Amino acid sequence: MTSQTGDLVTPWSDTRVSLPRHLYVHVPLCSSRCSYCDFFSTVDDGLPEHAAVVGHTVALLRGWLTPQVRWSALETLYIGGGTPTVLGPHLVQLIRSLTALIPLASEAEVTVEANPESFTPALASALAAEGVTRVSIGVQSLDDSALVGLGRCHDSATALAAITAGVDAGLDVSADLICGVPGVSAEAWERSLRGVVEAGVSHVSVYPLTVEAATPLARAIEAGETLAPDEDAVVDGMHAAAAVLGELGFDRYEVANYARPGHRSLHNTAYWTGKPYIGIGGGAHGMVDGAQARALGLAPEEGGDIGRARYAYAAHVLPGDQLQPLSSIEHLTVAEAAREDAMLGMRMSEGISEGLAVRARVTPALESLVADGLVTFADGRWRPTERGWLFGNEVFSRIWGVVG
Amino acid sequence: MTDPTLIRNFSIIAHIDHGKSTLADRVLQLTHTVADRDMQEQLLDSMDIERERGITIKAQAVRVMYDADDGQTYQLNLIDTPGHVDFTYEVSRSLAACEGVILVVDAAQGVEAQTVANAQMAMNAHLEIIPLINKIDLPAADPERVRHEIEEGLAIPADEAVLASGKTGEGVRDALEAVVRLVPHPVGDPEAPLKALIFDSYFDAYRGVVALIRVVDGSVSKGLKIKMMATSTVTDVEEVGVRRPANIPVDTLGVGEVGYLITGLKDPSLVKVGDTVTLARHGATQQLPGYREVKPMVFTGLFPIDGDQYPDLRDALERLQLNDPALIWDPESSHALGFGFRVGFLGLLHMEVVKERLEREFGLDLLATAPSVEYHAYRVKGDMIVVHSPQDMPDPGHLDHVEEPYLKATVLVPPDYVGAVMELADQRRGTFRDMQYLSATTVELHYEMPLSELIMDFFDQLKSRTKGYASLDYEYIGYRASELVKLDILLAGKPVDALSFVVHKDKAYARGKVLTEKLREIIPRQMFEVPIQAAIGAKIISRETVRAMRKDVIAKCYGGDISRKRKLLEKQKAGKKRMKSVGSVDIPQEAFMAILKVDE
Ligand SMILES: Nc1nc2c(ncn2[C@@H]2O[C@H](COP(=O)(O)OP(=O)(O)O)[C@@H](O)[C@H]2O)c(=O)[nH]1
Ligand code: SF4
Ligand SMILES: [Mg+2]
């Protein structure tokens, strides 16, 4: 302020670009493969060795630490998969190594994805001691025959024990549930919903069973060996979840996510609100803003209207593979980034602000959605209606501008 | 110029797939017109669509030089013709440039419907007919039976029919010998003023209109001032030449010769097929008899799926018309589909071919409405309205009566299937005329029936009900009064004009019902329930409902999913592009064709 020369650069000012405050780490191993799954993951048969997976993952992270960038303390860290808990004690070590490289902010949310068969009380307390605050458990159902049909390698008792292990270790526990599984009655579905809540979860994610191409489930349906999910059952299941969990004090804050007050997933909320994040590991994605993209060499150093860059790792990144095998980099303009935020924001009950809608130039699309009963406007915010959630594709397409 | 006594002009005619184009290939090889290494199957079928579908759409003229057994070298002008009934007019034009034909008959299939039709055309034109029994290499070949069919059924002497195989080349020389021996050489007056017939034309982007001509009297060479008699267009000859099959310029085309003529004219309407070319000054006064006008029989609405492509569609139609004078169109607008064109075609194959070329060669995305015929609607107040599109049919209250085009349909079929053919013809409002045995194995049936019934999947039905044995030919015989009604289709309570069709009143209920059922299967579930109704005037005759979809959401969307899901939405959009949104309802293209596949 006092200098009039203006060309003096204070020698100690840090010109490095600050990196995202959200980190996702993908562990592509599972005990076995579920019939409906199309995530990148391989069966954990001891190879690659767990220690090698940890080493490789840490090396991947180190690859991002170039002289042009600096890390800020992480607000959220999410270890997902796959099934990170198959790493057992090595998972604890992985988190220790990662946080040694990048510090966690105080109050940081650290989530580990878990599957019941590999989430033991011992592991739960070891993780909690390492700074993990939250565990997201793939329960999917408390109906044992449904679990068999889905190709899950655990039963409902194991799932409930896993929840208890998390709760006892002082973790925030979330359960994933799948609705619309053929053969599961409305009563059985409601039992699953109430069962996980009684076991102590503070967060539930509810996904309709989706038949992804080229999965064993898709083949079984094709071959007539198993029933395809029935649309009515799926929708009824979604409605039942909203009703039951609402009654139990959960707030539906995103189309598929319910939380007790104060227990939302901050990491996932970052995805829906346009916060940059780094993702590492096979098949993982990341999103950085224009300045970060330039500093990381993900965009030309100058020129171009780059609002954000999205990148993806190739789906085969395992120990032994190269360290920077990004399979795709995509640039969005500032306007496109705003439109993407508008689209994602409409997944959430909060919707989006009037200001964002204006910046994204999507007000006319939103107005047409209001006319069709898919969106409401109140208190300066555009929000999805229940019907808007059910017909999300219509909402997102119109906002993204691919229809009309 | 060649001495006319050493010229032979002939066409190869046959039912589709009896081997005309393959035979032409062998002639090109035998006369060394095309080197063996440049040879490819059905070489004269040069359009992509012809090569893919294995059919000839456009007649092709080519000149070959043939060293005959008598020691002389003859100039043979050969025209390969299409066999499909839609393109009969191409055959008739080709015949006008010839003195004779080779009538090819498949040794296994025998005489089929277009064999009869083409042979009759050649007879009416007083041409020498050389029967050729082809594909004698086939195990199922039965030349004796076929010889008998030709004699009995067509009344053409066949004891000297050439036995040949376009595949092995056997008999091809015999065929050319027969041409030299039997086809009369052209006769004309070399001293008289030029008289040449334009029997075909095509458009070349660099050279303008290229006319294919047959010189009758006089001669034509570069630099000559000529006149197109019908259009009184005077122009200079830029180039004359012959097709071998590539264009080879020559100095002069004389009496009896076939070749091409380039004038530099760019407007095809000035160079009319059927017109006579003569000298600009002191020319002939009498035109050669022109050909019958080609008249489109089948009309369909063509609409760009993306409304912005409307001007492109117009340009594309204009470009195609340069090579296809049979194509006509008028602008049409539909509440449901926006702006497009009502396009007239010779038949369904012609329609398919044109639509495919528009999409493929011009990159257009088109939606076609179900084909319809030209109705004559007589109003109470005494006037007549020509209706090319069901939506233009006047209200029943104003109508005195409606007439529709009728055909004489000829079906050739083995005796075992006569019953099946009769049943089908009955369902399609056919009136039986007569039936005769061409041989012990082939029966010829004649029906009179409305063209509108024939374009409704009749041919496919005929084929499937006769295990593929039946063949069909037809000719237009005139307009007849019928009790017709317009059937409207309503989606979500709103009439969709592009789905309306005209139907005989006795069939209206049945077709309305089947069509609404079909539409229920075709129209995808939408966010709202979509009632489908068929109505005559204000009266609803059938109703179906497409249930509402209950959800359409990508349930999971975390960090890794975002780009993928965005792309998915874009892909869905591409899928939707193949549909037309009418009001709030997305209608897939097949819906507009569903009426064609309605079989009671
Ligand atoms: N076996 C056999 N097949 C033939 C012969 N001539 C033509 N073909 C086949 O018959 C089909 C129709 O031939 P094409 O020349 O296109 O018939 P076009 O429709 O009359 O021009 C093709 O698959 C030919 O390969 C022949 O002499 N013998
Ligand atoms: S545990 Fe999860 S990631 Fe692993 S196979 Fe099952 S669904 Fe897929
Ligand atoms: Mg052919």
Side-chain angles (χ1 to χ4, degrees):
Chain A
M1 292 304 237
T2 52
S3 166
Q4 296 295 308
T5 55
D7 56 353
L8 275 179
V9 175
T10 334
W12 56 84
S13 78
D14 190 345
T15 56
R16 293 174 304 167
V17 174
S18 188
L19 280 188
R21 292 169 174 276
H22 305 276
L23 174 65
Y24 175 80
V25 176
H26 192 76
V27 178
L29 297 172
C30 288
S31 311
S32 63
R33 296 304 311 262
C34 308
S35 68
Y36 54 90
C37 177
D38 72 339
F39 300 124
F40 171 57
S41 174
T42 52
V43 173
D44 174 40
D45 53 5
L47 278 178
E49 282 176 20
H50 294 168
V53 173
V54 172
H56 186 74
T57 309
V58 174
L60 283 180
L61 181 61
R62 210 175 266 124
W64 289 88
L65 299 173
T66 64
Q68 289 77 31
V69 299
R70 73 188 155 85
W71 288 104
S72 322
L74 292 178
E75 288 172 12
T76 71
L77 166 63
Y78 197 107
I79 317 282
T83 308
T85 43
V86 298
L87 292 177
H90 286 100
L91 178 58
V92 181
Q93 200 207 314
L94 173 64
I95 293 167
R96 187 175 305 151
S97 307
L98 295 172
T99 51
L101 276 175
I102 317 170
L104 294 170
S106 60
E107 308 284 299
E109 175 191 277
V110 179
T111 308
V112 163
E113 235 179 322
N115 276 308
E117 69 281 358
S118 51
F119 191 61
T120 59
L123 182 58
S125 24
L127 288 170
E130 203 53 54
V132 171
T133 60
R134 200 171 167 270
V135 60
S136 168
I137 304 177
V139 173
Q140 316 311 2
S141 178
L142 293 180
D143 181 307
D144 283 329
S145 59
L147 290 172
V148 172
L150 293 170
R152 302 286 301 177
C153 59
H154 59 86
D155 58 13
S156 56
T158 315
L160 290 171
I163 295 175
T164 307
V167 172
D168 290 350
L171 298 172
D172 239 353
V173 182
S174 172
D176 286 358
L177 293 174
I178 296 181
C179 72
V181 180
V184 175
S185 66
E187 296 72 38
W189 171 237
E190 194 172 331
R191 276 199 298 278
S192 289
L193 290 162
R194 292 188 185 280
V196 295
V197 174
E198 276 157 27
V201 303
S202 53
H203 185 282
V204 182
S205 302
V206 177
Y207 308 116
L209 178 58
T210 312
V211 184
E212 303 291 352
T215 53
L217 178 64
R219 284 191 291 273
I221 291 172
E222 182 85 14
E225 291 158 14
T226 187
L227 291 173
D230 170 66
E231 188 184 43
D232 286 334
V234 168
V235 174
D236 293 344
M238 287 171 73
H239 286 313
V244 170
L245 294 171
E247 172 208 316
L248 297 173
F250 285 68
D251 171 32
R252 186 180 189 181
Y253 69 105
E254 195 256 2
V255 54
N257 285 285
Y258 300 79
R260 289 199 192 279
H263 293 271
R264 296 180 179 192
S265 160
L266 302 178
H267 186 84
N268 291 337
T269 302
Y271 294 144
W272 303 316
T273 49
K275 302 278 192 325
Y277 56 94
I278 293 289
I280 59 169
H285 292 236
M287 186 272 272
V288 293
D289 65 27
Q292 291 163 342
R294 291 193 170 92
L296 287 165
L298 298 176
E301 271 172 43
E302 279 172 65
D305 171 8
I306 297 175
R308 67 177 50 153
R310 289 192 175 278
Y311 68 81
Y313 272 88
H316 53 71
V317 183
L318 286 170
D321 288 328
Q322 284 179 315
L323 285 182
Q324 270 292 37
L326 295 191
S327 67
S328 74
I329 299 172
E330 183 191 18
H331 296 147
L332 282 81
T333 64
V334 172
E336 283 168 342
R339 252 189 310 147
E340 195 179 68
D341 287 345
M343 182 170 83
L344 292 168
M346 291 305 280
R347 297 187 67 87
M348 305 192 61
S349 55
E350 265 84 13
I352 62 171
S353 69
E354 210 173 350
L356 174 56
V358 170
R359 262 188 296 126
R361 301 204 193 97
V362 296
T363 312
L366 291 165
E367 280 164 354
S368 81
L369 289 162
V370 170
D372 290 341
L374 301 174
V375 166
T376 58
F377 181 71
D379 311 327
R381 290 194 80 83
W382 302 90
R383 295 184 172 88
T385 61
E386 168 94 34
R387 189 169 161 76
W389 262 336
L390 282 174
F391 291 98
N393 284 348
E394 187 69 25
V395 175
F396 310 142
S397 318
R398 284 200 218 171
I399 291 178
W400 186 244
V402 291
V403 252
Chain B
M1 274 195 289
T2 308
D3 174 0
T5 61
L6 294 179
I7 299 177
R8 299 292 183 272
N9 297 324
F10 69 99
S11 292
I12 306 181
I13 59 175
H15 191 82
I16 192 160
D17 274 351
H18 282 204
K20 295 175 292 292
S21 301
T22 307
L23 186 69
D25 289 348
R26 293 294 88 76
V27 172
L28 294 181
Q29 267 180 316
L30 186 127
T31 56
H32 310 293
T33 311
V34 175
D36 283 349
R37 73 185 138 80
D38 295 332
M39 200 60 214
Q40 44 176 334
E41 278 175 40
Q42 287 111 36
L43 182 120
L44 295 178
D45 292 343
S46 51
M47 279 194 271
D48 280 355
I49 294 189
E50 291 183 316
R51 299 205 65 80
E52 266 168 38
R53 298 190 172 207
I55 55 170
T56 307
I57 292 168
K58 237 180 135 44
Q60 289 292 349
V62 62
R63 169 182 294 191
V64 304
M65 302 308 291
Y66 173 61
D67 300 321
D69 289 352
D70 63 10
Q72 301 267 27
T73 299
Y74 289 85
Q75 175 198 117
L76 307 183
N77 293 300
L78 165 166
I79 306 180
D80 179 25
T81 62
H84 192 277
V85 56
D86 278 10
F87 302 109
T88 302
Y89 81 106
E90 289 271 343
V91 182
S92 73
R93 285 190 209 170
S94 311
L95 296 187
C98 297
E99 280 76 27
V101 298
I102 295 181
L103 173 66
V104 176
V105 186
D106 186 306
Q109 302 293 326
V111 169
E112 295 197 76
Q114 271 101 47
T115 317
V116 179
N118 286 329
Q120 267 159 8
M121 241 190 295
M123 282 187 239
N124 294 341
H126 307 292
L127 302 186
E128 179 65 31
I129 299 176
I130 299 171
L132 181 149
I133 299 173
N134 191 31
K135 307 197 192 180
I136 53 167
D137 61 289
L138 286 177
D142 187 354
E144 277 321 301
R145 188 195 95 220
V146 175
R147 196 195 298 276
H148 184 70
E149 286 184 2
I150 295 172
E151 292 192 329
E152 293 289 300
L154 306 176
I156 295 172
D159 44 333
E160 288 186 42
V162 180
L163 298 183
S165 162
K167 189 170 176 191
T168 66
E170 186 183 348
V172 176
R173 212 181 152 82
D174 299 341
L176 295 185
E177 282 300 317
V179 166
V180 166
R181 202 155 29 85
L182 300 173
V183 173
H185 64 74
V187 182
D189 182 351
E191 306 305 326
L194 169 68
K195 236 185 200 184
L197 195 62
I198 302 177
F199 68 90
D200 199 359
S201 75
Y202 66 90
F203 187 81
D204 180 289
Y206 301 104
R207 312 295 313 263
V209 185
V210 181
L212 300 190
I213 58 166
R214 148 78 196 259
V215 179
V216 176
D217 290 327
S219 64
V220 57
S221 35
K222 181 175 170 173
L224 197 67
K225 252 203 181 348
I226 54 163
K227 182 163 86 174
M228 315 285 170
M229 293 181 76
T231 61
S232 300
T233 308
V234 173
T235 178
D236 292 325
V237 176
E238 219 169 68
E239 183 177 312
V240 291
V242 298
R243 294 167 65 78
R244 313 198 33 133
N247 287 358
I248 311 286
V250 298
D251 291 337
T252 306
L253 292 174
V255 166
E257 287 192 286
V258 171
Y260 67 88
L261 168 78
I262 295 174
T263 59
L265 288 174
K266 300 280 184 201
D267 178 357
S269 68
L270 299 177
V271 188
K272 276 204 155 64
V273 170
D275 199 356
T276 303
V277 183
T278 189
L279 299 175
R281 284 205 277 150
H282 309 300
T285 48
Q286 189 87 44
Q287 261 178 263
L288 295 162
Y291 306 132
R292 86 182 150 91
E293 275 287 316
V294 286
K295 204 171 154 346
M297 306 280 273
V298 173
F299 298 81
T300 182
L302 287 184
F303 294 85
I305 291 188
D306 172 0
D308 293 348
Q309 287 193 333
Y310 177 79
D312 303 341
L313 175 55
R314 173 192 295 276
D315 291 348
L317 283 166
E318 277 169 4
R319 292 270 297 282
L320 274 193
Q321 199 193 29
L322 297 175
N323 270 323
D324 189 352
L327 195 64
I328 63 158
W329 71 86
D330 273 316
E332 177 173 57
S333 76
S334 148
H335 289 301
L337 304 180
F339 291 103
F341 295 94
R342 195 77 190 168
V343 187
F345 301 96
L346 300 165
L348 294 182
L349 177 65
H350 186 215
M351 174 182 114
E352 258 177 59
V353 164
V354 168
K355 179 169 182 255
E356 197 175 317
R357 291 188 63 190
L358 286 169
E359 297 200 304
R360 187 198 301 212
E361 293 170 28
F362 299 91
L364 298 167
D365 249 332
L366 297 178
L367 193 148
T369 61
S372 140
V373 302
E374 176 180 306
Y375 294 102
H376 291 170
Y378 290 84
R379 295 200 289 190
V380 184
K381 65 178 185 185
D383 59 348
M384 187 271 271
I385 294 178
V386 174
V387 176
H388 284 153
S389 175
Q391 66 196 73
D392 298 336
M393 189 62 87
D395 282 345
H398 297 150
L399 272 181
D400 182 61
H401 71 282
V402 181
E403 293 184 356
E404 64 177 330
Y406 263 71
L407 304 170
K408 181 175 132 194
T410 303
V411 176
L412 267 61
V413 75
D416 286 355
Y417 296 102
V418 166
V421 173
M422 289 187 155
E423 192 187 326
L424 176 64
D426 248 20
Q427 285 170 6
R428 299 306 182 88
R429 297 193 282 139
T431 311
F432 176 77
R433 279 291 162 240
D434 55 47
M435 169 170 126
Q436 95 195 65
Y437 275 77
L438 293 189
S439 68
T441 47
T442 307
V443 180
E444 181 178 63
L445 294 115
H446 289 130
Y447 273 89
E448 289 174 4
M449 65 189 280
L451 171 61
S452 63
E453 295 286 341
L454 189 117
I455 61 178
M456 281 211 15
D457 204 26
F458 182 81
F459 186 62
D460 287 348
Q461 284 295 321
L462 183 68
K463 281 282 185 197
S464 79
R465 294 185 190 199
T466 60
K467 297 221 166 70
Y469 281 116
S471 61
L472 169 74
D473 192 74
Y474 50 82
E475 61 185 311
Y476 167 70
I477 51 176
Y479 272 76
R480 292 189 185 169
S482 290
E483 295 210 51
L484 300 170
V485 293
K486 184 174 74 150
L487 209 119
D488 294 314
I489 298 292
L490 293 81
L491 294 182
K494 295 210 178 61
V496 178
D497 52 8
L499 286 172
S500 296
F501 61 99
V502 173
V503 60
H504 192 269
K505 78 173 195 342
D506 295 347
K507 309 247 163 208
Y509 279 82
R511 294 235 171 113
K513 187 164 175 334
V514 186
L515 180 61
T516 46
E517 283 166 9
K518 260 243 140 57
L519 288 173
R520 191 198 55 209
E521 290 162 22
I522 294 174
I523 295 176
R525 291 172 70 179
Q526 330 234 333
M527 280 171 57
F528 303 89
E529 177 178 290
V530 181
I532 305 170
Q533 295 159 296
I536 299 171
K539 188 165 171 215
I540 304 293
I541 61 168
S542 68
R543 183 195 157 103
E544 293 284 337
T545 307
V546 181
R547 279 185 55 203
M549 172 166 72
R550 291 194 60 197
K551 74 158 184 28
D552 177 21
V553 63
I554 297 164
K556 252 188 205 187
C557 191
Y558 300 107
D561 306 310
I562 295 168
S563 313
R564 191 152 63 104
K565 305 277 147 134
R566 208 168 0 79
K567 284 180 188 127
L568 209 75
L569 291 175
E570 273 155 17
K571 216 165 97 196
Q572 281 182 354
K573 178 209 180 183
K576 276 201 178 171
K577 248 189 92 179
R578 306 298 305 171
M579 296 201 246
K580 197 81 194 178
S581 298
V582 177
S584 54
V585 185
D586 290 329
I587 310 178
Q589 301 206 36
E590 312 100 89
F592 297 95
M593 289 292 159
I595 181 62
L596 295 188
K597 303 284 176 202
V598 170
D599 198 46
E600 313 85 276

